[in-house]
Structure formats: C-alpha cells, structure tokens
Amino acid sequence: MQGVKADAPHGTWHAKLDEDRTLELELRGRPDPEEAASVWRAVLAAQRRRPRSVVVDAAGLESLDASTLALLLELRRNELSGGPPLEIRGLASELREELERHPPPAELGPEAAAVRPRRAVERLGRVAAGVVREARAQVAFAGELAAG
C-alpha cells in the first residue's frame, strides 16, 4: 500500500502498510481536519487489507484533539474486538492519561455493545426511503400550489 503523508502548518500525520503488513502511523504536532481525514482514509483502507499489527509513533504528538483521540480509540476498539495488536510508542504521559480516560466503545458496557454498525445495504435502503419521502412531500406541495 502506498503511504499517505499529510503535512500542514501544525503537524504531520503519516500512515503506511509495510510489506510485513504492519500498519505504521506517525503522528506529529497538531493535525488539522484535512490531515485527519487523509489518515483516517488510509487507516480504513489498510484495515481492509488485514494488517498483522498496528504501530503508532506518537512521540511528536503535542495534543489529543477529537480526531486524534477518535483514531486512537478506534484502533484500540479494533484490537479488543479481535483485530491486530496495537502498540502506541512515545506518547507523552499526560496524553496517555488523557487517552486512558476515554474507554473505546467495546468497554462502555452492555448497552454500547448491543448497538451494531449498520451494513452498507441497510444504510442505502434508509437513504433511499428518505429520498422517496422527500419526493412525495415535494410532489404534494407542488400539487397544492397548482390547485390553489
């Protein structure tokens, strides 16, 4: 897999899947939303290729914003649900404490575990039903305007 590197004024995120199928992430500075989106896409693509392990180099990470926290929690949740082992290297102690204050969804309790992700077909069906409802409402409105 080709690596994804996102450089911005506040930080650098880098993700790549090595030949030995290790997903390597390098997190530096403070990412902006565009960086986070690029790396999330790369991580999701790499996870579909079933990496053997995930290694996060967080030695240069300055803070845990929402996107960074969500990424690390998702990687931990994936590990707990039978995915590849996760190793986070170099994360500053105060950031590690902050990360550990937020359990991944699998650790939230039985009510969180009962919520299953929707499949793509189910989501597509829900979207299509919403489009049909909206179209009916538009046709009804146009009919009322023409009649009245």
Side-chain angles (χ1 to χ4, degrees), residues 64 69 72-73 76 88 91-104 107:
L64 282 180
L69 182 61
L72 295 175
L73 289 175
R76 188 189 304 158
I88 300 175
L91 187 61
S93 60
E94 64 273 6
L95 298 180
R96 185 170 296 279
E97 289 171 12
E98 184 177 343
L99 175 64
E100 291 178 3
R101 282 196 301 268
H102 302 277
E107 295 179 358

Side-chain angles (χ1 to χ4, degrees), residues 5-79:
K5 186 169 188 174
D7 294 311
H10 302 295
T12 299
W13 281 27
H14 183 84
K16 70 177 183 175
L17 187 64
D18 286 347
E19 297 83 31
D20 69 350
R21 292 187 26 235
T22 296
L23 174 57
E24 294 183 356
L25 300 171
E26 178 184 358
L27 309 178
R28 301 272 183 256
R30 292 174 290 143
D32 67 20
E34 286 182 29
E35 285 180 293
S38 296
V39 172
W40 266 94
R41 282 191 296 274
V43 167
L44 294 174
Q47 284 182 333
R48 285 191 295 274
R49 297 186 65 195
R50 301 191 187 275
R52 288 181 334 117
S53 63
V54 178
V55 176
V56 178
D57 175 2
L61 196 60
E62 296 174 9
S63 64
L64 282 180
D65 68 333
S67 60
T68 309
L69 182 61
L71 177 64
L72 295 175
L73 289 175
E74 172 60 19
L75 292 171
R76 188 189 304 158
R77 185 209 56 79
N78 192 40
E79 176 188 34

